[in-house]
Amino acid sequence: QVQLVESGGGLVQPGGSLRLSCVASGSIFSINTMDWYRQAPGKERELVASVPSIGFTNYADSVKGRFTISRDNAKNTVYLQMNSLKREDTAVYYCHAAVRRTPAVIIEYYWGQGTQVTVSS
């Protein structure tokens, strides 16, 4: 099995910064795309940012210029640097990864348990 564990959430004032981390562990041969999603109360889960194993990153329009996604393939870790945070960024942030557990196995998708980010004064 594969586990994704997020960390780094918390309470921050508007205009502040937070850095989220997500570590993938378990039976992993390779990881394709790694993503961050978020879900605010009463809203659907939405894609925030994604980073493929090779290629360009992708961001939701609402976070472009403020958030930066990056990954460390050697550590099976993805990060989300969040700057200039706004109240509307308040949500539970989830890590998501497309994982191949062995060369012969199809890609499977996994979610972390989520980490709360609250932007409030």
Side-chain angles (χ1 to χ4, degrees):
Q1 265 291 3
V2 174
Q3 298 80 39
L4 301 180
V5 178
E6 302 103 332
S7 61
L11 174 64
V12 63
Q13 292 186 346
S17 298
L18 280 176
R19 188 192 195 207
L20 306 182
S21 300
C22 172
V23 181
S25 63
S27 177
I28 297 173
F29 171 73
S30 66
I31 303 177
N32 288 13
T33 303
M34 300 186 81
D35 316 293
W36 286 98
Y37 283 76
R38 68 185 180 187
Q39 187 166 20
K43 295 188 176 181
E44 294 188 352
R45 191 171 298 189
E46 63 174 356
L47 177 65
V48 176
S50 62
V51 55
S53 55
I54 299 174
F56 298 102
T57 56
N58 180 54
Y59 296 93
D61 288 342
S62 59
V63 306
K64 282 181 181 177
R66 300 188 298 121
F67 290 11
T68 302
I69 189 171
S70 61
R71 62 190 284 176
D72 184 334
N73 291 326
K75 297 181 179 179
N76 288 336
T77 300
V78 63
Y79 305 97
L80 186 67
Q81 177 66 45
M82 305 185 293
N83 299 328
S84 302
L85 281 160
K86 305 175 180 180
R87 289 183 173 82
E88 51 264 42
D89 294 318
T90 296
V92 178
Y93 284 70
Y94 296 91
C95 179
H96 178 255
V99 178
R100 195 184 299 275
R101 290 189 285 121
T102 73
V105 174
I106 62 172
I107 291 174
E108 299 169 314
Y109 299 88
Y110 295 90
W111 291 94
Q113 81 288 353
T115 185
Q116 177 69 47
V117 171
T118 302
V119 184
S120 175
S121 54

